[in-house]
């Protein structure tokens, strides 16, 4: 039987929030890992509230994306804590706690309070969340999800201004927040016919906010549309789907039972098939099940329909089904889709309560939650520091070319050139279709004065991706070493036009060369 939005008492809300935060408390001892260094530790805008506010007209990452509210949240935390990473990690956990509570409140409309709490706890403890919550850059996912869930709840409570504000916050946190208006419309469509309609002004306001955001994103962060995963460079639709559909199947498996988590789901980790495969068929079945199954149960289980379609809408931009994206699969992209698992768990609890004794239902639900908590706690240490992160990736997935590439960069940084050469060669043997890898390897070889080996890598990188920033740098460096100043100046002009953020580097290199 459906319950009101206020059916969850404060104790239940506190339980969900405290559980979500408690499981991630160990991260308060962690540091800056992988992309955290560039986005937070080395980003002046993330260190100062005034700079973050002034950066609302600037991209999020280099020249790409537009997530000013996420940057502002980092700036607030940095100002409060003096830049201590532990505090930033703790705030990630608190935001995750809020998102988990919002999931429980979303479910409370259609399931019993006990079932809603279980659904909220499933969302709080699901192991696939570790990347989004334990990694600081995952905050964009958490903030966007909290904004989307809150917007739907505010619309249900007929708080129209708050709903629009939360929708805007979701969009300004991460791009997929743009689906918030769709989620509100979907949620209203699934409500009982006797529910009062939402005012037209709400839809107009949501449309205006969405259009303004899309305009800002186009002007500021649109370069991200050209950033596609290397495996999709030059690939046609059929080739893209040969990898995208198996990735959908893998993502569904991670949601249902996350046994084999990874920081990398690139080539070899998810095999690239040469033709339509059983894995691609499984992915096709998953897509059809989400769409057709959601339609079939829209009257009998509207909460499941909402959760399934919301999950699909949130995953779609990075699914590579409609267009290539910058990733094949990433666990952080599954943060909102876990809503479907939480809703299924809540409905399963109510179904079981009508057939089993309450003690048995509690025992089964408790066992599942304990397993999820144990898996999450076991996964967390991967994100303690860069060394642990990289060693775990190489141990769990030695077939990851990105792992060996990262190892090569580390070895080069500590001066072990021989080991770095071997790791670069290993990465190339696993996947030789990444122009970014070619460019990084070429720069390493140029640093060793091995220009003969670097030249074909630069040429290959620029054939595949003509304006790859590091490849342009490498070709520029090669021209300078050969005394071809005119060619070097031409390459610098090309780089300034296509990678404006690198202009200062080229100016410094040319000025330094002029002094010699």
């Amino acid at each position: 039987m459906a319950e009101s939005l206020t059916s969850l008492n404060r104790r239940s809300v506190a339980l969900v929030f405290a559980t979500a935060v408690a499981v991630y408390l160990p991260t308060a001892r962690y540091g800056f890992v992988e992309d955290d260094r560039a986005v937070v530790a080395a980003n002046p805008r993330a260190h100062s509230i005034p700079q973050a506010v002034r950066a609302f007209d600037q991209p999020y990452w280099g020249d790409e994306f537009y997530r000013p509210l996420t940057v502002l949240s980092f700036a607030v935390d940095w100002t409060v804590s003096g830049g201590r990473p532990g505090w930033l990690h703790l705030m990630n956990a608190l935001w995750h706690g809020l998102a988990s509570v919002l999931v429980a409140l979303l479910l409370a409309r259609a399931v019993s309070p006990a079932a809603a709490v279980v659904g909220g706890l499933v969302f709080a403890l699901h192991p696939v969340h570790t990347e989004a919550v334990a990694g600081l850059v995952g905050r964009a996912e958490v903030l966007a999800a909290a904004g989307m869930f809150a917007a739907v709840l505010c619309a249900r409570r007929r708080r129209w201004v708050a709903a629009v504000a939360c929708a805007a916050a979701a969009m300004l946190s991460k791009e997929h927040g743009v689906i918030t208006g769709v989620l509100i419309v979907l949620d209203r469509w699934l409500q009982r016919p006797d529910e009062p309609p939402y005012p037209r002004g709400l839809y107009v306001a949501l449309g205006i906010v969405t259009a303004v955001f899309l305009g800002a994103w186009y002007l500021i962060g649109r370069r991200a549309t050209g950033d596609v995963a290397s495996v999709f460079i030059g690939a046609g639709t059929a080739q893209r789907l040969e990898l995208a559909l198996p990735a959908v199947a893998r993502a569904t498996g991670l949601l249902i039972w996350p046994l084999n988590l990874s920081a990398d789901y690139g080539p070899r980790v998810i095999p690239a098939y040469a033709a339509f495969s059983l894995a691609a068929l499984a992915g096709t079945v998953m897509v059809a099940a989400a769409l057709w199954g959601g339609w079939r149960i829209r009257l009998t289980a509207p909460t499941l329909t909402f959760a399934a379609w919301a999950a699909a809408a949130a995953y779609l931009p990075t699914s590579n089904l409609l267009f290539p994206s910058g990733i094949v699969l990433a666990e952080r992209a599954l943060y909102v889709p876990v809503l479907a698992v939480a809703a299924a768990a809540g409905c399963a609890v109510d179904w079981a309560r009508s057939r089993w004794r309450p003690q048995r239902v509690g025992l089964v639900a408790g066992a599942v939650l304990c397993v999820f908590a144990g898996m999450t706690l076991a996964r967390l240490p991967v994100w303690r520091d860069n060394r642990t992160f990289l060693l775990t990736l190489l141990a769990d997935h030695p077939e990851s070319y990105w792992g060996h590439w990262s190892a090569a960069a580390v070895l080069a940084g500590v001066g072990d050139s021989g080991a770095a050469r071997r790791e670069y060669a290993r990465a190339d043997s696993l996947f030789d279709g990444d122009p970014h890898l070619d460019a990084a390897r070429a720069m390493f070889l140029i640093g060793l004065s091995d220009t003969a080996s670097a030249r074909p890598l630069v040429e290959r990188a620029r054939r595949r991706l003509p304006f790859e920033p590091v490849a342009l740098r490498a070709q520029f460096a090669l021209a300078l070493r050969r005394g071809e100043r005119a060619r070097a100046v031409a390459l610098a002009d090309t780089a300034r036009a296509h990678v404006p953020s690198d202009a200062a580097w080229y100016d410094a290199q040319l000025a330094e060369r002029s002094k010699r």
Side-chain angles (χ1 to χ4, degrees), residues 198-488:
Y198 291 169
R200 182 176 299 176
L202 171 66
Y203 300 122
V204 172
L206 287 170
I208 292 173
V209 167
T210 302
V212 170
F213 169 77
L214 289 174
W217 191 91
Y218 178 79
L219 292 173
I220 300 169
R222 70 178 184 275
R223 287 181 65 92
T225 57
D227 183 18
V228 301
S230 297
V231 72
F232 296 128
I233 294 175
T237 301
Q239 293 171 304
R240 171 166 49 83
L241 293 177
E242 286 166 3
L243 185 58
L245 288 169
V248 169
R250 183 69 168 267
T252 306
L254 292 175
L255 291 174
I256 296 172
W257 197 242
L259 281 176
N260 190 18
L261 299 175
S262 173
D264 177 37
Y265 292 93
R268 294 292 184 97
V269 180
I270 296 181
Y273 299 94
F276 197 76
S277 61
L278 289 178
L281 178 60
T284 304
V285 171
M286 300 302 176
V287 173
L291 297 177
W292 179 79
W295 176 263
R296 286 296 302 270
I297 63 174
R298 70 190 188 283
L299 299 178
T300 56
T303 297
L304 283 178
T305 296
F306 173 80
W309 287 359
Y315 179 66
L316 186 61
T318 57
S319 69
N320 302 295
L321 294 175
L322 301 182
F323 48 81
S325 74
I327 58 172
V328 176
L329 172 63
E331 291 167 15
R332 61 184 179 275
L334 300 180
Y335 190 82
V336 172
V338 174
L339 175 64
V341 182
C347 292
V349 167
D350 274 350
W351 177 87
R353 290 178 68 196
S354 67
R355 292 163 175 79
W356 300 348
R357 291 183 177 181
Q359 295 86 345
R360 185 180 179 187
V361 176
L363 184 64
V364 172
V368 172
L369 292 172
C370 285
V371 170
F372 272 15
M375 294 172 70
T376 295
L377 289 170
R379 181 69 181 169
L380 284 182
V382 173
W383 302 92
R384 179 185 292 115
D385 51 49
N386 275 346
R387 181 178 183 276
T388 306
F389 177 88
L390 180 55
L391 290 177
T392 302
L393 174 59
L394 290 172
D396 293 347
H397 294 282
E399 74 277 21
S400 167
Y401 87 95
W402 180 65
H404 291 280
W405 174 9
S406 299
V410 171
L411 291 166
V414 299
D416 192 345
S417 301
R421 278 181 180 268
R422 290 191 293 273
E423 287 298 314
Y424 272 124
R426 176 63 174 156
D428 188 75
S429 70
L430 289 169
F431 179 63
D432 63 358
D434 191 336
H436 307 291
L437 169 59
D438 287 341
R441 189 181 179 192
M443 285 296 286
F444 163 71
L445 293 170
I446 291 171
L448 299 179
S449 299
D450 187 357
T451 55
S453 299
R455 186 174 296 108
L457 293 171
V458 171
E459 293 172 352
R460 187 169 71 173
R462 293 212 62 196
R463 281 197 305 271
R464 291 170 173 165
L465 204 61
F467 304 112
E468 205 287 328
V470 181
L472 281 169
R473 286 191 178 199
Q475 196 165 35
F476 170 86
L478 285 171
L480 283 183
R481 281 177 176 265
R482 297 184 63 180
E484 300 172 348
R485 182 176 177 82
R487 177 168 172 75

Side-chain angles (χ1 to χ4, degrees), residues 63-129:
D63 296 326
E64 300 177 350
F65 304 111
Y66 182 59
R67 303 169 188 174
L69 201 58
T70 299
V71 175
L72 178 59
S73 76
F74 288 137
V76 171
D77 293 346
W78 192 280
T79 302
V80 170
S81 68
R84 291 194 297 272
W87 177 264
L88 279 83
H89 282 291
L90 177 61
M91 290 305 300
N92 264 28
L94 293 174
W95 283 113
H96 175 57
L98 174 62
S100 301
V101 167
L102 294 173
V103 167
L105 293 174
L106 281 172
L107 299 180
R109 187 182 188 105
V111 300
S112 67
V117 169
V118 170
L121 290 173
V122 165
F123 189 89
L125 298 172
H126 200 290
V128 85
H129 283 331

